[in-house]
Amino acid sequence: MSAPWPLSAHLGYLFTEVPLERRLAAAAAAGFDAVEHPAPFEVPASRMATLLREAGLFLAQVTTGRGPEGEKGLASLPGREREVRDALARALDYAEAVACPYVHLMAGCPGADVPHQQAADTWLANVAAAIHACRDRPVEVLVEPISHATVPGYFLDRLTRLDELLPQLPKAPHVLLDTHHASANAEDAPAAIARASWRLGHVHVADHPGRHEPGTGTIDFEALLGALARTGYDGAIGFEYLPTAETEGGLDWLPAWRAMMARHAGPTCEGGTGADAAEPGKEEP
């Protein structure tokens, strides 16, 4: 294989100089293997499937929706369960129609007036319901810790929160690990991957500080890729950064990134995800 992991362009951040439909071809021309977008629903699924096929890409993940401005998702908000179910149904139908493997259930910001345990119970119930809804579908659930430095009040704010919450579920979702959010929390992403009891499904890359291109901050991405290789991660790596200028002009990091990935290619990069290796025999959702 040319590289151990497919590289995905987050079209909510990259190639925004052109309309959404044209971003897929731009991403393919730049050398990406996949794309992702939190809410691609303005493009009908049939049209999206055609665009993906023409560009030779796949859609790596979509969200169930972020709710009204400032909510950043609904899964931890008591009383919004009907909206969560409706948004999930729409996202699952869309994902299945375009062969997207993951739907990201965003936790949201429950607000200071909601007791923490009530928000936790709501999140757990909604995640369990989402996993149940996926039981006969070729789509699985992602959850992502998002730092308070980026989204103040976000319920699922740290990687360490996963160790507290996921054991309370009969089946666990996959986890989306974001290097920028981990670094903003002073969490060591490679160490978290190495010791994880959770199943890693997707990775987001942006440097820190600044949330810009890889190489503009202080994150050790060589260590990150080493940790992914050692745990057998076989998912996509998505790039969700704020371009310092126009997207295409800022992609000079991409050849070096592929060379760095090639150094970690080998037998350990084939097979299941790192969390699968950490939890042999755990039932898949």
Side-chain angles (χ1 to χ4, degrees), residues 43-267:
V43 179
S46 58
R47 174 63 176 160
M48 179 61 75
T50 298
L51 292 170
L52 290 166
R53 183 173 60 254
E54 291 175 347
L57 302 169
F58 69 92
L59 191 66
Q61 62 103 14
V62 299
T63 75
T64 57
R66 294 172 288 186
E69 186 69 27
E71 289 188 329
K72 287 292 184 179
L74 302 171
S76 68
L77 279 58
R80 307 290 289 278
E81 290 82 1
R82 175 66 178 271
E83 293 173 69
V84 172
R85 289 196 302 271
D86 291 347
L88 175 66
R90 177 184 67 166
L92 284 175
D93 287 345
Y94 194 96
E96 187 168 355
V98 301
C100 174
Y102 288 115
V103 164
H104 174 195
L105 186 67
M106 295 189 72
C109 305
D113 57 330
V114 177
H116 173 77
Q117 189 58 54
Q118 185 181 12
D121 290 344
T122 301
W123 183 84
L124 289 165
N126 280 322
V127 172
I131 292 171
H132 183 73
C134 291
R135 67 194 183 283
D136 297 320
R137 307 187 75 158
V139 186
E140 299 194 70
V141 177
L142 278 177
V143 298
E144 178 191 16
I146 297 178
S147 69
H148 283 177
T150 303
V151 181
Y154 196 76
F155 171 73
L156 187 65
D157 61 324
R158 304 181 64 86
L159 289 168
T160 51
R161 292 274 286 141
L162 298 169
D163 299 322
E164 168 195 340
L165 291 166
L166 297 190
Q168 300 180 55
L169 289 164
K171 295 180 182 179
H174 289 265
V175 170
L176 193 168
L177 183 150
D178 186 296
T179 62
H180 172 78
H181 295 309
S183 186
N185 285 333
E187 294 181 294
D188 185 330
I193 291 167
R195 67 171 183 269
S197 61
W198 30 266
R199 297 174 305 159
L200 188 60
H202 194 64
V203 174
H204 271 168
V205 165
D207 220 325
H208 181 271
R211 200 175 186 177
H212 298 307
E213 292 89 344
T216 58
T218 61
I219 295 177
D220 183 350
F221 290 110
E222 189 86 51
L224 175 81
L225 293 179
L228 293 175
R230 286 189 293 274
T231 57
Y233 176 69
D234 63 356
I237 297 178
F239 292 84
E240 188 190 52
Y241 62 79
L242 297 167
T244 51
E246 184 262 348
T247 303
E248 290 186 9
L251 292 175
D252 54 347
W253 57 268
L254 189 52
W257 186 276
R258 285 201 177 276
M260 182 169 60
M261 288 200 308
R263 291 197 291 273
H264 295 282

